[in-house]
Amino acid sequence: MGNWFHRNYDRMMGPLEKRVLGAMRRRLLSVAEGEVLELGAGTGANFAYYRSASRVTATEPETAMLAQAEIRAREAAVPVRLVQADATRLPFPDASFDTVVGTLVFCTIPDPAAALAEAWRVVKPGGKLLLLEHVRLRHPLLAKLQDWLTPAWMAVCDGCRLNRRTAELVHRTGFETLEEEERVGGLFVAVRAARPQHRSTSSTAT
Ligand SMILES: C[S@@+](CC[C@H](N)C(=O)[O-])C[C@H]1O[C@@H](n2cnc3c(N)ncnc32)[C@H](O)[C@@H]1O
């Protein structure tokens, strides 16, 4: 079921989860509260870290990933409902979530600006956006190397780009960044941001 990447995702990520990502997920998701929407939940790697959410609506477009996420949804400490959906076309009303979460997903979504505009639309004014992403490095030579590797990386890793500037895009969408945590020389960044109370449209919305 699914492609090679979908079938082997958890196994490939295991060492990185243990050394870096698990602790970042734990810290970031400790503030995921109320009605939580997760974008591109994959196999449900975040579900075990939700503690303060009243409910998690976990969206994911890939059937093979959703099937694996179902197992983790049953084991979670909070209720998790799974919805098959693309992050750029969310089947939810405006301002319907307290927190929107995306981890290692804005690297893969073909149109990340459209997905962030959707996140803006569905989160309540004053609500949170919590992201954990790998991003384009600040070091110019390393960033060039990421640019060079990206086409091959995309082919192997289900469309994942190594060189996205996701933290900047969050800011450009209109979210207010409250805190950033960087690891591995800035390769991984956890962003805690908020939709301001008093602006009704995102910067990228028409
Ligand atoms: C690298 S995996 C990350 C999975 C999970 N969020 C995690 O932290 O382990 C990227 C995920 O993004 C999903 N994805 C790809 N395009 C998407 C889109 N347009 N909308 C929502 N999710 C998407 C993929 O199906 C995949 O599950």
Side-chain angles (χ1 to χ4, degrees), residues 5-6 9-10 13 17 21 25 38-46 59-62 65 72 85-90 102-111 115 132 134 157-158 160:
F5 181 82
H6 299 145
Y9 181 73
D10 284 339
M13 294 297 285
E17 291 288 342
L21 297 178
R25 289 184 198 271
E38 185 173 337
L39 308 172
T43 60
N46 287 330
T59 60
E60 164 59 42
E62 292 291 340
M65 296 298 243
R72 284 188 168 135
D86 186 308
T88 58
R89 290 186 302 275
L90 293 170
T103 61
L104 310 180
V105 68
F106 282 89
C107 52
T108 303
I109 294 173
D111 187 347
L132 164 56
H134 61 81
C157 296
D158 199 38
C160 169

Side-chain angles (χ1 to χ4, degrees), residues 2-164:
N3 65 24
W4 175 90
F5 181 82
H6 299 145
R7 282 196 307 274
N8 293 289
Y9 181 73
D10 284 339
R11 203 171 338 181
M12 287 186 299
M13 294 297 285
L16 202 51
E17 291 288 342
K18 236 181 214 162
R19 290 195 191 103
V20 183
L21 297 178
M24 292 184 85
R25 289 184 198 271
R26 184 181 307 284
R27 277 191 293 276
L28 183 73
L29 299 177
S30 66
V31 295
E33 285 158 346
E35 281 288 335
V36 174
L37 172 69
E38 185 173 337
L39 308 172
T43 60
N46 287 330
F47 297 170
Y49 298 106
Y50 289 114
R51 288 283 181 265
S52 326
S54 49
R55 181 170 66 158
V56 176
T57 299
T59 60
E60 164 59 42
E62 292 291 340
T63 306
M65 296 298 243
L66 272 176
Q68 298 179 66
E70 264 171 30
I71 299 163
R72 284 188 168 135
R74 285 197 290 272
E75 293 165 354
V78 302
V80 178
R81 70 166 167 153
L82 297 172
V83 176
Q84 190 156 26
D86 186 308
T88 58
R89 290 186 302 275
L90 293 170
F92 308 113
D94 295 358
S96 45
F97 293 95
D98 300 292
T99 307
V100 175
V101 171
T103 61
L104 310 180
V105 68
F106 282 89
C107 52
T108 303
I109 294 173
D111 187 347
L116 277 170
E118 271 293 82
W120 174 284
R121 181 182 68 77
V122 300
V123 76
K124 295 174 185 169
K128 294 175 194 166
L129 176 71
L130 305 175
L131 301 186
L132 164 56
E133 296 290 334
H134 61 81
V135 294
R136 195 170 197 270
L137 290 161
R138 273 190 293 271
H139 190 292
L141 279 181
L142 294 176
K144 281 276 168 231
L145 182 64
Q146 287 177 305
D147 293 341
W148 184 75
L149 285 172
T150 285
W153 189 264
M154 281 176 73
V156 177
C157 296
D158 199 38
C160 169
R161 280 100 169 150
L162 291 168
N163 55 356
R164 283 263 166 93

